[in-house]
Amino acid sequence: MSENPNNSSNFIKHIVKEDLAEGTYDHIVTRFPPEPNGYLHIGHAKSIVLNFELADEFNGETNLRFDDTNPLKEDQEYVDAIKEDIEWLGYEWEGLRYASNYFDEMYNQAVILIKKGLAYVEDLSQEEIREYRGTLTEPGKESKSRSRSAEDNLELFEKMRNGEFANGEKVLRAKIDMASPNINLRDPVIYRISHTPHHNTGDKWCIYPMYSFAHPLEDAIEGVTHSICTLEFEDQRPLYEWVVENCEIDAEPKQIEFARLNLTNTVMSKRKLKQLVDENYVDGWDDPRMPTISGLRRRGFTPESIKTFCREIGVSKADNLVDVRMLEHFVREDLKLTSPRTMSVLRPLKVVITNYPEGEVEWLDADINPENPEMGTRKIPFSREIYIEQSDFMENPPKKYFRLFPGNEVRLKHAYFIKCNEVIKDDEGNVVELHCTYDPETKSGTGFTGRKVKGTLHWVEATHAKEAEFRLYNSLIDDEKSGDDFLDFVNPDSLEVAHGYVEPNMEEAKAHDKYQFFRHGYFNVDPKETTADKLVFNRIVELKSSFKL
């Protein structure tokens, strides 16, 4: 089991402590119960951290359980992706479970309810059931099916199981209270017909339990002590408790609700995320702009930064909106001492140093990470031809512009002072090359103090440079936009692609290697697009943020 470095308390921990002290439970069992109908996102990460670390702290255990009760929306791809995400975060589940493993037991429990007179087969259509249910201010009304005998219901339920009815022709409902002020207790549907093969059980079943019926039974069967879920399930708790109380299972899990994670400039809905994928707004669930765990991983976020973020935002009953820059803050903190520093030029402008000897290459020393001297130094080439950023030159600069312009002198990081003497343009008047001179007395590290310059530029030597593609990300969702549909908030400028150069040591870069590019930010080697002949870097975050903890 993973070690829990978080010693902070919250209301759920207080409940668990009281339950243990009072002897309600002598052993803690939690579970993370995803539905395999999409990829996990950062909101699920909060639940993963909470469930696994809560069990760890109290020497309990956590099951990974797939709530796979709807084969129409589920797929083995999602099962595999969920397992990969949890393992990548660094957690180990005690048991790997599937709701579908319990389908026989759930069916038996439904039969028990029918025999007790607590469930019946409904003839009404889905639309009619909705009409009969009533409103928040008006009670529902009972259908004729509600008075059917237990014997007849058992026969019809058996026919449902045997495939003798079409989809939607019959459902099984719990018989609770059609006048309950809680609409969830107005005879909810607990089984429906779906002639759909299941990824785990194949063609064995053509009826499937509803989530609200299956979920509490799964917890009870597994001996889960604390069933932790988000606040939207609070109104479902009376139904959860009714199922456990009236079915013949001894265990009594305790459901506890907490506020789900809401992030600025982010969609936190698997349905909406799937729509972004299906309608090609992104190039898959692992697109680095997606808030999915796989997307964050591909972008370059580290497991520890995500877990630290989830711990720091805390657990409460109150809904709140968390600034996405807080998540970015923790990945910067995690990377600043571990990521090598290097230089890259994203939009290159060629510079010829006319007084540097032709054909000569000089290898300069540079720190790998000045904040972590133990990482040592690297060698970078310097010669007559280099690349700088296009944005680091202006032919007619405004006042207080300290980068390169005609007649001005700047420092090249780790190298020399250079001075711009001539600007070369193409036939359309675009600047395509600069001719400069360097001062050999100003070499970095020699202690030169003869004069000072105000600008320092990053650069890459031209003859040894490696071509690279840089993917610069902005928020996929723009909260400042307006519209009636969430797609109206999609940012059309969420991805910018640049083609430039990196230092020659990047030739050895591997998938998921992380670097800090001077002035540009933290970058991750893209694991899907990078090949032996093509380097692709995803920008994780920029170097600085105005966010304060």
Side-chain angles (χ1 to χ4, degrees):
M1 301 290 275
S2 58
E3 181 181 353
N4 177 13
N6 180 27
N7 294 319
S8 62
S9 189
N10 57 60
F11 78 96
I12 297 179
K13 286 185 183 180
H14 285 305
I15 293 172
V16 172
K17 287 178 181 178
E18 289 178 3
D19 287 342
L20 289 171
E22 295 171 0
T24 306
Y25 306 103
D26 56 12
H27 181 69
I28 297 303
V29 179
T30 64
R31 82 286 179 270
F32 176 63
E35 296 175 72
N37 58 4
Y39 281 55
L40 300 182
H41 55 62
I42 185 66
H44 296 109
K46 177 179 177 180
S47 181
I48 291 169
V49 172
L50 174 59
N51 278 286
F52 278 90
E53 296 192 353
L54 184 71
D56 282 355
E57 183 169 342
F58 294 98
N59 298 314
E61 57 193 65
T62 301
N63 293 333
L64 168 60
R65 183 183 71 234
F66 291 98
D67 269 324
D68 54 350
T69 59
N70 187 357
L72 282 171
K73 296 184 178 181
E74 296 159 1
D75 195 280
Q76 186 63 39
E77 173 192 351
Y78 300 139
V79 171
D80 295 339
I82 289 168
K83 290 162 66 176
E84 181 182 2
D85 287 344
I86 296 171
E87 289 175 331
W88 177 74
L89 285 172
Y91 296 107
E92 299 177 9
W93 50 83
E94 199 72 25
L96 178 60
R97 324 278 183 165
Y98 294 86
S100 52
N101 291 345
Y102 313 133
F103 280 173
D104 287 289
E105 180 61 29
M106 292 175 188
Y107 181 85
N108 293 336
Q109 293 297 331
V111 168
I112 289 171
L113 291 180
I114 294 173
K115 290 179 177 179
K116 289 181 176 180
L118 296 176
Y120 60 97
V121 174
E122 177 62 84
D123 298 331
L124 296 178
S125 68
Q126 183 177 350
E127 293 75 17
E128 290 170 328
I129 291 173
R130 189 179 298 112
E131 291 174 6
Y132 274 52
R133 186 161 287 155
T135 67
L136 291 174
T137 57
E138 297 178 353
K141 63 178 181 178
E142 298 178 359
S143 74
K144 294 180 180 179
S145 303
R146 202 174 195 270
S147 60
R148 182 181 285 130
S149 70
E151 291 75 16
D152 288 346
N153 282 316
L154 287 171
E155 182 180 350
L156 288 170
F157 192 46
E158 181 69 19
K159 288 182 177 181
M160 286 173 60
R161 177 179 181 171
N162 292 337
E164 298 182 34
F165 299 113
N167 292 348
E169 190 174 350
K170 305 285 184 184
V171 294
L172 183 69
R173 298 178 71 177
K175 186 187 289 188
I176 306 179
D177 181 3
M178 288 302 295
S180 173
N182 185 338
I183 290 182
N184 294 296
L185 296 179
R186 294 180 188 175
D187 291 11
V189 174
I190 59 175
Y191 261 92
R192 80 289 203 191
I193 301 169
S194 181
H195 292 272
T196 307
H198 190 281
H199 72 93
N200 195 28
T201 60
D203 294 323
K204 179 179 179 180
W205 295 91
C206 63
I207 58 171
Y208 294 97
M210 299 298 289
Y211 180 88
S212 57
F213 177 67
H215 190 80
L217 288 178
E218 295 157 32
D219 282 346
I221 292 168
E222 293 176 7
V224 170
T225 58
H226 296 83
S227 177
I228 301 168
C229 54
T230 46
L231 281 175
E232 64 262 36
F233 294 99
E234 188 171 28
D235 289 341
Q236 291 274 355
R237 192 189 332 145
L239 175 57
Y240 180 109
E241 293 170 346
W242 183 92
V243 170
V244 173
E245 179 182 345
N246 288 284
C247 289
E248 295 181 359
I249 295 180
D250 294 335
E252 295 184 12
K254 176 179 290 188
Q255 178 171 311
I256 308 171
E257 304 87 12
F258 69 98
R260 65 183 300 169
L261 171 61
N262 296 299
L263 271 181
T264 59
N265 297 313
T266 309
V267 172
M268 301 290 274
S269 158
K270 275 194 288 188
R271 179 184 61 80
K272 292 179 179 178
L273 293 175
K274 187 175 187 301
Q275 187 175 351
L276 291 172
V277 173
D278 292 344
E279 298 182 17
N280 298 315
Y281 285 89
V282 293
D283 67 2
W285 286 94
D286 66 347
D287 187 300
R289 292 167 291 179
M290 292 278 275
T292 55
I293 296 175
S294 57
L296 293 169
R297 176 167 64 247
R298 183 177 169 193
R299 183 158 172 172
F301 281 78
T302 61
E304 195 53 46
S305 65
I306 293 173
K307 290 190 288 188
T308 302
F309 166 75
C310 291
R311 294 170 190 140
E312 290 296 324
I313 59 177
V315 179
S316 73
K317 279 277 192 181
D319 277 323
N320 65 329
L321 185 63
V322 178
D323 195 319
V324 71
R325 293 178 299 172
M326 185 176 181
L327 175 60
E328 295 171 349
H329 164 81
F330 286 114
V331 76
R332 286 191 192 92
E333 289 296 300
D334 196 32
L335 293 176
K336 69 179 182 181
L337 295 179
T338 59
S339 58
R341 307 296 197 262
T342 185
M343 293 189 290
S344 64
V345 175
L346 275 57
R347 300 168 186 84
L349 174 60
K350 191 173 185 179
V351 174
V352 178
I353 304 172
T354 56
N355 65 332
Y356 196 89
E358 290 191 41
E360 182 174 319
V361 177
E362 182 179 0
W363 292 85
L364 306 173
D365 290 319
D367 294 328
I368 292 178
N369 187 330
E371 294 187 68
N372 186 358
E374 292 182 2
M375 295 182 69
T377 60
R378 70 184 192 278
K379 292 288 187 179
I380 54 176
F382 182 80
S383 72
R384 180 182 175 89
E385 295 183 0
I386 65 171
Y387 294 113
I388 66 169
E389 292 287 350
Q390 294 176 9
S391 59
D392 282 341
F393 172 79
M394 291 187 71
E395 190 171 13
N396 299 294
K399 290 183 179 181
K400 296 186 178 181
Y401 181 83
F402 300 123
R403 300 175 196 175
L404 202 57
F405 56 86
N408 191 42
E409 190 175 46
V410 297
R411 178 190 297 279
L412 295 177
K413 181 76 171 174
H414 302 304
Y416 300 93
F417 290 8
I418 62 169
K419 183 177 182 179
C420 181
N421 304 306
E422 185 180 1
V423 179
I424 309 300
K425 301 180 180 180
D426 61 17
D427 294 340
E428 297 177 354
N430 300 309
V431 176
V432 295
E433 187 173 294
L434 303 177
H435 287 181
C436 299
T437 53
Y438 88 114
D439 184 347
E441 299 295 322
T442 61
K443 185 175 182 179
S444 180
T446 62
F448 174 78
T449 58
R451 61 187 183 279
K452 296 184 181 297
V453 292
K454 293 185 177 181
T456 298
L457 308 186
H458 63 280
W459 54 278
V460 174
E461 193 270 336
T463 62
H464 289 74
K466 300 298 177 184
E467 292 185 8
E469 179 177 299
F470 305 89
R471 297 179 178 180
L472 312 176
Y473 300 103
N474 295 305
S475 296
L476 180 61
I477 302 298
D478 186 351
D479 289 348
E480 300 301 317
K481 294 170 72 72
S482 59
D484 298 324
D485 188 279
F486 91 97
L487 292 175
D488 296 329
F489 294 82
V490 173
N491 178 11
D493 301 316
S494 60
L495 171 62
E496 179 183 358
V497 178
H499 294 87
Y501 298 96
V502 292
E503 293 181 24
N505 60 355
M506 292 291 100
E507 187 174 35
E508 301 176 357
K510 304 182 297 299
H512 289 300
D513 282 352
K514 296 167 179 57
Y515 301 91
Q516 186 196 106
F517 289 151
F518 185 65
R519 285 172 57 194
H520 286 308
Y522 292 97
F523 285 75
N524 183 55
V525 179
D526 187 274
K528 289 183 69 173
E529 302 294 335
T530 294
T531 66
D533 302 317
K534 180 184 179 183
L535 272 173
V536 179
F537 292 94
N538 299 324
R539 183 158 66 186
I540 310 167
V541 285
E542 295 182 82
L543 288 179
K544 295 182 179 179
S545 170
S546 59
F547 179 78
K548 301 293 182 182
L549 278 178

